[in-house]
Amino acid sequence: KAGVTQTPRYLIKTRGQQVTLSCSPISGHRSVSWYQQTPGQGLQFLFEYFSETQRNKGNFPGRFSGRQFSNSRSEMNVSTLELGDSALYLCASNSGTGVHEQYFGPGTRLTVT
Amino acid sequence: QKEVEQDPGPLSVPEGAIVSLNCTYSNSAFQYFMWYRQYSRKGPELLMYTYSSGNKEDGRFTAQVDKSSKYISLFIRDSQPSDSATYLCAKPPNSGYALNFGKGTSLLVTP
């Protein structure tokens, strides 16, 4: 079974721009969660989608948004980028059948200059 | 207070040493916790589940939960340079599937 894939793997943007990151979960998985990872804050939860509905949201500003498509693929968008948005963005999928085991993708490394 | 607290390290040990990694948690509606391992430039991978009763052993790795003190531990025996990574403890949320992670402990095993 193919793992979680994320594109692009690396991205460099300038302040004020917007960015869209993509995640394809493991086939059959219905839950997708997004995390931001920085050296200072560790893994911080952004949001979780299940069957195209946002089920939970972390404590991030409205510039961070996401969506999930009918095939469970998910995208997250960050508008008006700030230097502090530089981070590794990780996507994780879960079967959605009750167990909490999450499978992570390799992440997208975003650098904002 | 974060739901899971973890000493970020870094922790440096010689090859063959026994490593002890620890987390504390504030509360949990569930009776199990997880340890993830993250190599540099990779996403975290699930290493072990651990339930709140007793120890769980998997090869050189042993996970332990102390419910009374809300303490989660991971022990690595005969540590190897390939164990050098960041270790993250996690607990399930009260709802949904997104886990609550500690900040991770960076481990370096030197030959």
Side-chain angles (χ1 to χ4, degrees), chain B:
Chain B
Q1 182 191 8
K2 279 186 70 90
E3 297 212 36
V4 182
E5 300 277 1
Q6 190 174 7
D7 185 342
L11 183 62
S12 181
V13 301
E15 183 175 355
I18 295 174
V19 176
S20 172
L21 303 167
N22 305 293
C23 290
T24 57
Y25 64 94
S26 57
N27 59 69
S28 181
F30 292 89
Q31 299 303 307
Y32 60 92
F33 302 86
M34 284 163 259
W35 283 97
Y36 279 77
R37 177 175 61 193
Q38 185 176 20
Y39 290 113
S40 182
R41 302 187 183 281
K42 304 275 188 183
E45 58 176 341
L46 180 64
L47 191 58
M48 290 180 73
Y49 265 95
T50 179
Y51 290 83
S52 59
S53 55
N55 298 346
K56 182 175 179 182
E57 196 171 311
D58 184 359
R60 296 183 294 109
F61 297 86
T62 300
Q64 190 176 77
V65 177
D66 182 339
K67 281 173 61 179
S68 60
S69 59
K70 295 186 178 175
Y71 214 69
I72 312 163
S73 300
L74 178 70
F75 300 98
I76 307 174
R77 290 186 302 279
D78 188 25
S79 56
Q80 303 294 310
S82 58
D83 295 328
S84 298
T86 297
Y87 291 81
L88 302 117
C89 55
K91 75 172 192 68
N94 291 331
S95 66
Y97 293 101
L99 298 169
N100 294 305
F101 284 91
K103 284 191 178 182
T105 299
S106 175
L107 171 67
L108 177 65
V109 181
T110 54

Side-chain angles (χ1 to χ4, degrees), chain A residues 63-76:
Chain A
R63 300 185 295 108
F64 293 81
S65 63
R67 58 178 175 168
Q68 186 181 32
F69 302 96
S70 58
N71 61 359
S72 292
R73 192 177 69 85
S74 177
E75 288 181 348
M76 67 162 281

Side-chain angles (χ1 to χ4, degrees), chain A residues 11-22:
Chain A
L11 208 48
I12 299 175
K13 291 284 189 180
T14 56
R15 273 182 300 175
Q17 287 187 312
Q18 75 165 16
V19 67
T20 299
L21 312 181
S22 181

Side-chain angles (χ1 to χ4, degrees), chain A residues 9 31 33 35 37 40-43 45 48 55-56 88 90 94 96-102 104-106, chain B residues 2 30 32 34 36 38 41-46 49 86 88 92-93 95-103:
Chain A
R9 291 293 311 278
S31 167
S33 298
Y35 298 84
Q37 187 175 37
Q41 297 300 318
L43 265 169
F45 168 65
E48 180 203 348
R55 190 155 58 175
N56 286 299
L88 180 66
L90 290 158
N94 176 283
T97 58
V99 293
H100 289 91
E101 186 171 319
Q102 291 207 310
F104 283 85
Chain B
K2 279 186 70 90
F30 292 89
Y32 60 92
M34 284 163 259
Y36 279 77
Q38 185 176 20
R41 302 187 183 281
K42 304 275 188 183
E45 58 176 341
L46 180 64
Y49 265 95
T86 297
L88 302 117
S95 66
Y97 293 101
L99 298 169
N100 294 305
F101 284 91
K103 284 191 178 182

